[in-house]
Structure formats: structure tokens, C-alpha cells
Amino acid sequence: MAEIKDPENTIVMETTKGKVVIALMPDLAPGHVARIKELTREGAYDGVVFHRVIADFMAQTGDVQYGKKGSETFSPGRAGMGGSSKPDLKAEFSAVPHVRGTCSMARSQNPNSANSQFFICFTDAPWLNKQYTVWGQVIEGMEVIDQVKKGEPVADPDSIVSMKVAADIAA
């Protein structure tokens, strides 16, 4: 496993394809990192599908409202249209580039509309730079993300089985 230097700022995401480890960037996007950790600790991401996966671009997930398998509000046709019950976040754009393994928040046309959805870049996506909030980087498991079923929407999508803050995982 990748060396986890800061367990409080590392996410371990088990997917239907395998394990992914993400180093969070609290200095870069403190509000977004706090939200990701808050939703993770609530179990909000457990069972959420990868609803929009575009080859050579990115895999999007995190719709805890309509994209969570087994929940009362799960709606495959609406996955990608929801968020959490928490308020939207103010943009925390930075000069950190969108490269392979970058974790960034999804949003609508409104720059301050990020809520719970996020995406992981398969490849460099410079056109997203300074327009979306980067909050993490995959440090292990990009080969797992590469295997996530593609589609817009995805038929029988892969999902996050569980997502935990590394500090909360018993040794």
C-alpha cells in the first residue's frame, strides 16, 4: 500500500473494482477537503455509483442523493443531478493542474455550486485548470479507476463500496 504520511488527510476508497488511496490537499482547498471528510465520515459515499465516466477524460461520482444504491432516493436516471443536504461550497480554485489522478469537485455553471460530487481525471485535462476545485490526488489505485465502466450514463455502473478517512481505519 502507498505510504500514508497524513492519515487524517488521506481517503481510502474501496470500489467494485478495487482499492484507491487519495491524498487530500487541505492547504489548497480547506472547505472542500472538510466537506469530503465530513461526508466520508457520515458514510454518505458508501454505495454511490460512478454515474458519468468518459474514456480518456474522467470518472465522476459522489451524488449522495440520487446515486446511492440501496437508498430510498436512488434513481439511476437522476444520478448526477443531486448532492447532499449541506450547502454548496464557495469555489477554491487554484493553479494546481488537472493531471492523471487529480480529484476535483464537480459543479454546475455556477462556480460556487460544488456540493458532494467529484471526479477523478484519467489523463491531463488542462482546460479544467483554475475552473474547478482540486482537493486531492490519487496516490494508489489509478489502475483501479481505469477499469471503472464507461458511459454517459453508465449501464450497470461500478460504485464506491466504502470510503473512509485513513485515520479512522483500525490498524
Side-chain angles (χ1 to χ4, degrees):
M1 187 158 120
E3 184 186 351
I4 295 176
K5 295 181 175 77
D6 183 358
E8 184 55 38
N9 288 299
T10 306
I11 294 288
V12 178
M13 180 171 67
E14 288 287 344
T15 74
T16 46
K17 295 294 189 198
K19 183 168 67 178
V20 179
V21 180
I22 300 167
L24 302 176
M25 300 175 177
D27 296 344
L28 190 69
H32 288 71
V33 166
R35 172 67 54 84
I36 293 289
K37 287 168 40 176
E38 180 182 18
L39 290 170
T40 295
R41 286 188 159 127
E42 291 173 0
Y45 288 120
D46 299 355
V48 174
V49 300
F50 285 89
H51 65 269
R52 181 172 177 245
V53 184
I54 304 170
D56 300 320
F57 179 29
M58 57 92 218
Q60 187 169 331
T61 184
D63 182 345
V64 301
Q65 184 176 9
Y66 299 122
K68 187 177 176 91
K69 286 183 178 177
S71 73
E72 290 178 17
T73 57
F74 179 59
S75 175
R78 294 189 73 188
M81 297 178 190
S84 73
S85 59
K86 300 173 190 321
D88 288 347
L89 296 164
K90 186 174 186 322
E92 295 176 304
F93 300 158
S94 69
V96 171
H98 285 76
V99 296
R100 179 169 168 78
T102 296
C103 301
S104 192
M105 289 304 269
R107 62 171 177 81
S108 70
Q109 295 296 326
N110 177 349
N112 300 312
S113 62
N115 188 290
S116 66
Q117 292 188 46
F118 63 91
F119 59 91
I120 301 171
C121 294
F122 287 125
T123 187
D124 296 0
W127 62 92
L128 301 177
N129 293 350
K130 299 181 183 174
Q131 296 184 60
Y132 290 81
T133 300
V134 174
W135 55 266
Q137 179 69 36
V138 173
I139 58 171
E140 179 186 311
M142 266 314 291
E143 70 285 355
V144 171
I145 297 300
D146 289 338
Q147 296 171 38
V148 171
K149 288 184 201 129
K150 315 293 186 282
E152 284 186 274
V154 184
D156 188 28
D158 285 303
S159 61
I160 298 169
V161 176
S162 76
M163 195 156 135
K164 302 218 176 309
V165 175
D168 300 341
I169 300 170

